[in-house]
């Protein structure tokens, strides 16, 4: 496969993974980030995020804070943040600023490849603003915690552009992966990204409603979703109930799609319902806690939390449902101690939770233990020891991770979300 000179703008989850994996495919990659300490660390081979397989690839690209080093690039992949703005739409100020900074640097013909998740119409807008540059929408579908694996073995590579030659050249960069390539116009590519994330959000809110229903009727949501997942049209993935769906993507992308739909006069009710269910979910968990702790409420009650990140396998705390639950419990006066294998003790980022580095400190004096992230290592904790340290015997398992029979043998009562 031919090697090309590639620039990557942004060295976060997407940019760093893209840069490292494109270098792994044999391309000459220069990765630019404005975060000087991050760039200095990357130059020393330090990986700033928890991503299996990234450490082995991090030495592939060159890292710099100087945009001028992109002057020779044939392609520049834009991988900068597009956070939620007020009113739900994507805030493109950082994205636009980052792209504008390339203007004095890039030579005519350099392909602008948009990997950031951007509202429908963004690639067209860029193509008008950059008449000397082909623009390609190439949304990214990687999951945190599986970033390298997902990049190197993608379900699909989406290439959206009105410039056929640039689309072909961009698709060729991925030739080594042997993945299905979907060539399309830019609007379909941009919408396909939002459509995928919002679909996952809809599905998860549906499962969380089912879990509530299961508790009411004495059914078991694990069995219900297993039956659903055996239907090939439904499939088994992404059917686990939990304390809500979070992270840096699903919430902001669902809100942005709902906002775009509303702005275009398309009824966003379905999307808004999924968001509303999700916003209710921390309250549902708090209700379960109140039910076991007693009628006097949570004021001054010690609770132990297991898991603080937005899902297992990542240290990312952005929009973590675990923290949404924690804030909810703290607002009712609960005193919270939390353990997460990816969160250092005393981390200020998880306030109002006091983060500790030992699960037994979570159990000590706790009226109840609440499992909020599905770290597999929680199944192997010494539950008999934790039972001895806790005041109460209830373990509220919002991830349905633990074996209730095993906990029972340790003198604990496991209450899985969604019944059992
Ligand atoms: N995180 C994911 O799993 C994921 C997956 C698919 C798509 N996306 C999308 O990719 C985009 C990036 O997300 P992320 O999670 O990688 O973000 P991130 O916050 O992890 O990283 C963004 C990086 O961009 C850098 N940056 C900011 N402004 C810059 C500028 N002007 N020039 C150079 N660098 C700059 C930051 O310093 C940071 O290192 C977003 O649009 C997101 O929606 C994210
Ligand atoms: O069965 C499930 C699966 C997920 N979740 C929760 O849903 C959220 C999102 O999980 P996941 O999709 O694994 O996280 P991300 O790494 O943010 O990945 C999503 O967001 C990325 C950014 O756009 C996309 O690229 C990915 O395809 C998309 O899965 C987390 O809070 C999970 O705990 C559940 O509650 N139950």
């Amino acid at each position: 496969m031919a090697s090309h000179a590639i620039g990557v703008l942004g060295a976060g989850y997407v940019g760093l993974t893209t840069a490292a994996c494109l270098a792994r495919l044999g391309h000459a990659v220069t990765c630019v980030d404005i975060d000087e300490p991050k760039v200095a660390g990357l130059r020393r081979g330090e990986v700033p995020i928890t991503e299996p397989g990234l450490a082995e690839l991090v030495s592939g690209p060159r890292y710099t804070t100087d945009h001028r080093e992109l002057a020779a690039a044939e392609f520049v992949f834009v991988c900068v943040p597009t956070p939620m703005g007020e009113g739900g739409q994507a805030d493109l100020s950082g994205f636009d600023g980052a792209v504008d900074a390339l203007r004095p640097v890039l030579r005519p013909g350099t392909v602008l490849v948009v990997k950031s998740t951007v509202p429908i119409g963004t690639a067209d807008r860029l193509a008008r603003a950059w008449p000397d540059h082909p623009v390609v929408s190439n949304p990214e579908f990687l999951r945190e915690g599986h970033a390298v694996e997902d990049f190197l073995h993608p379900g699909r590579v989406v290439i959206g552009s009105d410039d056929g030659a640039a689309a072909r050249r961009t698709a060729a960069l991925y030739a080594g992966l042997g993945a299905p390539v979907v060539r399309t116009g830019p609007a379909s590519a941009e919408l396909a990204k939002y459509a995928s994330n919002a679909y996952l959000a809809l599905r998860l809110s549906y499962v969380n409603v089912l879990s509530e229903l299961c508790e009411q009727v004495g059914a078991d949501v694990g069995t219900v979703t297993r039956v659903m997942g055996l239907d090939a049209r439904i499939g088994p993935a992404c059917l686990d109930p939990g304390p809500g769906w979070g992270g840096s993507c699903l919430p902001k992308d669902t809100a942005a799609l709902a906002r775009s739909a509303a702005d275009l006069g398309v009824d966003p009710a379905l999307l808004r319902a999924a968001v509303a269910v999700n916003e209710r979910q921390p309250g549902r968990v708090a209700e379960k806690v109140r039910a076991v702790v007693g009628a006097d409420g949570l004021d001054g009650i010690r609770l132990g939390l297991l898991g603080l990140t937005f899902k297992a396998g990542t240290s990312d705390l952005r929009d973590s449902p675990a923290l949404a639950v924690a804030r909810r419990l703290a607002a009712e006066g609960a005193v919270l101690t939390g353990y997460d294998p990816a969160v250092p003790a005393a981390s200020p980022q998880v306030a109002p939770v006091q983060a500790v580095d030992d699960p037994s400190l979570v159990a000590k004096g706790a009226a109840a233990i609440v499992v909020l992230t599905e770290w597999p290592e929680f199944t192997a904790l010494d539950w008999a020891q934790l039972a001895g340290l806790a005041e109460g015997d209830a373990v509220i398992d919002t991830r349905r991770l633990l074996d209730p029979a095993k906990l029972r043998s340790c003198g604990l009562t496991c209450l899985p979300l969604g019944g059992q």
Side-chain angles (χ1 to χ4, degrees), residues 39-187:
V39 168
L42 285 166
R43 284 180 164 166
R44 291 190 298 268
E46 294 164 15
V47 181
I49 50 178
T50 309
E51 283 299 338
L54 200 50
E56 292 85 328
L57 303 181
V58 77
S59 63
R62 284 185 325 114
Y63 300 97
T64 178
T65 54
D66 186 352
H67 289 70
R68 286 171 302 184
E69 293 191 34
L70 297 180
E74 299 164 70
F75 303 83
V76 173
F77 283 70
V78 183
C79 307
V80 296
T82 49
M84 196 193 300
E86 268 180 41
Q89 78 277 29
D91 175 357
L92 288 186
S93 54
F95 174 89
D96 286 338
V99 175
D100 278 345
L102 299 173
R103 218 176 258 285
V105 173
L106 299 188
R107 61 184 186 192
T110 303
V111 182
L112 285 175
V113 185
V114 180
K115 236 189 198 320
S116 295
T117 303
V118 291
I120 305 133
T122 303
D124 265 354
R125 178 168 65 79
L126 278 188
R128 284 194 299 276
W130 289 72
D132 297 332
H133 296 265
V135 176
V136 174
S137 167
N138 172 219
E140 179 51 58
F141 297 94
L142 64 78
R143 295 160 301 163
E144 289 185 21
H146 301 266
V148 170
E149 177 198 334
D150 285 351
F151 192 98
L152 293 176
H153 306 282
R156 68 289 208 202
V157 172
V158 178
I159 305 285
S161 185
D162 293 326
D163 184 319
R168 265 192 306 282
R169 288 172 58 213
T170 308
L173 299 175
Y174 291 96
L177 301 181
V181 174
V182 180
R183 286 264 308 273
T184 178

Side-chain angles (χ1 to χ4, degrees), residues 9-15 32-35 38 67 79-82 94 98 115-117 140-144 193 248-249 252-253 318:
L9 199 57
Y13 283 90
V14 170
V32 178
D33 201 291
I34 50 173
D35 182 334
K38 185 184 265 190
H67 289 70
C79 307
V80 296
T82 49
K115 236 189 198 320
S116 295
T117 303
E140 179 51 58
F141 297 94
L142 64 78
R143 295 160 301 163
E144 289 185 21
K193 172 63 194 175
S248 68
C249 291
K252 85 169 169 66
D253 292 348
R318 290 180 287 182

Side-chain angles (χ1 to χ4, degrees), residues 155-327:
R156 68 289 208 202
V157 172
V158 178
I159 305 285
S161 185
D162 293 326
D163 184 319
R168 265 192 306 282
R169 288 172 58 213
T170 308
L173 299 175
Y174 291 96
L177 301 181
V181 174
V182 180
R183 286 264 308 273
T184 178
S188 297
E190 289 164 340
L191 179 51
K193 172 63 194 175
Y194 281 107
S196 300
N197 271 1
Y199 174 71
L200 296 175
L202 291 174
R203 187 169 160 115
L204 289 169
S205 276
Y206 179 53
V207 168
N208 284 335
V209 170
L210 290 178
S211 81
E212 196 172 349
L213 201 50
C214 283
E215 287 174 15
Q216 295 298 323
V217 300
D220 169 20
V221 75
T223 307
V224 172
T225 53
R226 184 149 46 87
V227 171
M228 288 167 63
L230 286 168
D231 185 325
R233 294 169 303 174
I234 297 174
C238 211
L239 283 179
D240 294 329
W245 37 271
S248 68
C249 291
L250 260 51
K252 85 169 169 66
D253 292 348
T254 307
L257 186 61
R259 175 61 194 261
S260 295
D263 288 350
L264 292 162
V266 177
D267 185 355
L270 187 58
L271 297 163
R272 296 229 163 114
V275 172
V277 167
N278 204 43
E279 286 172 350
R280 219 172 60 210
Q281 202 65 358
R284 271 198 68 210
V285 178
E287 213 171 280
K288 284 182 91 68
V289 175
R290 254 183 264 116
V292 297
V293 164
D296 293 341
L298 298 181
D299 200 21
I301 298 289
R302 294 190 71 82
L303 297 171
L305 308 182
L306 288 175
L308 300 169
T309 53
F310 83 96
K311 64 173 184 178
T314 179
S315 56
D316 199 343
L317 293 160
R318 290 180 287 182
D319 232 324
S320 170
L323 295 181
V325 170
R327 283 192 294 273

